Amino acid sequence: MADLTPLLAIRWSPRSFDPTAELTPAEAASLLEAARWAPSADNAQPWRFALGHRDDDTWKRILVSLPDGDQRWARHAAALVLGAHTGGDPEQAGYDLGQAVAHLTVQATALGLYVHQLVRFDQARLAAELDLAAGIRPLVVVAVGRLGDPCALPADLLARETGLRRRRPLEALLLG
């Protein structure tokens, strides 16, 4: 493998979160600040976030929008973050939001936190639950927290959680 910064090399998306760990205000601010400084086409910064800390109203509203299978483990995350984007070119705005979430993810790793991104959720329900303004489009939910005990996961998730992390070979990613 080519030389890779440790922040990227150790990053992974667990489902086992510590159900007692909290996200501090300084950590939350640091994650959102990292997202704020992400690259953006024409400096549009079309991303918007809703941050819910475990068991507050925003967290509960985000959690219930997730599929039941993901709620089983996401309920242990210290925070749930909705990533949304504003109108305009939806492809460009979605790309820019992806940049912001990537920056948030790397910053989380630097802080000793873990994130798991989810794109399967009830976007319409969540937009209504959070009373999002017209033109704000939910795209991703990010579970954030400290690593928990994988043995606490349901049996069907344990093997996925403890299995080897795999990526396609670099050659498979190159066109031509």
Side-chain angles (χ1 to χ4, degrees), residues 76-88:
H76 296 298
L80 295 174
V81 181
L82 168 67
H85 63 80
T86 59

Side-chain angles (χ1 to χ4, degrees), residues 13-26:
S13 302
R15 290 174 185 82
S16 54
F17 287 100
D18 180 344
T20 64
E22 299 294 329
L23 186 68
T24 69

Side-chain angles (χ1 to χ4, degrees), residues 3 34 69 117 132 174:
D3 191 22
Q117 300 174 29
L132 299 180
L174 298 174

Side-chain angles (χ1 to χ4, degrees), residues 10-139:
I10 65 171
R11 186 223 55 83
W12 69 294
S13 302
R15 290 174 185 82
S16 54
F17 287 100
D18 180 344
T20 64
E22 299 294 329
L23 186 68
T24 69
E27 290 168 333
S30 181
L31 297 177
L32 295 173
E33 190 68 15
R36 185 171 83 92
W37 283 98
S40 174
D42 296 323
N43 201 26
Q45 302 172 39
W47 48 76
R48 301 294 182 269
F49 297 99
L51 172 64
H53 292 272
R54 186 182 304 112
D55 293 328
D56 73 13
D57 284 342
T58 300
W59 184 91
K60 290 174 185 174
R61 291 173 186 204
I62 295 172
L63 183 68
V64 299
S65 76
L66 301 177
D68 292 342
D70 290 331
Q71 287 184 38
R72 296 180 302 166
W73 58 266
R75 64 188 171 90
H76 296 298
L80 295 174
V81 181
L82 168 67
H85 63 80
T86 59
D89 178 352
E91 288 182 9
Q92 184 62 53
Y95 177 82
D96 282 2
L97 173 60
Q99 288 273 5
V101 172
H103 278 61
L104 181 152
T105 299
V106 172
Q107 184 66 21
T109 304
L111 296 173
L113 299 167
Y114 291 85
V115 304
H116 190 113
Q117 300 174 29
L118 302 123
V119 294
R120 287 184 9 247
F121 62 95
D122 189 336
Q123 294 175 348
R125 177 180 182 179
L126 188 51
E129 284 279 344
L130 295 177
D131 196 25
L132 299 180
I136 303 291
R137 298 184 179 112
L139 189 64

Side-chain angles (χ1 to χ4, degrees), residues 3-4 9 71 98 113 126 147 155 160 162 164 167:
D3 191 22
L4 190 63
Q71 287 184 38
L113 299 167
L126 188 51
L147 199 56
R160 291 178 69 185
T162 57
L164 291 177
R167 286 288 189 253

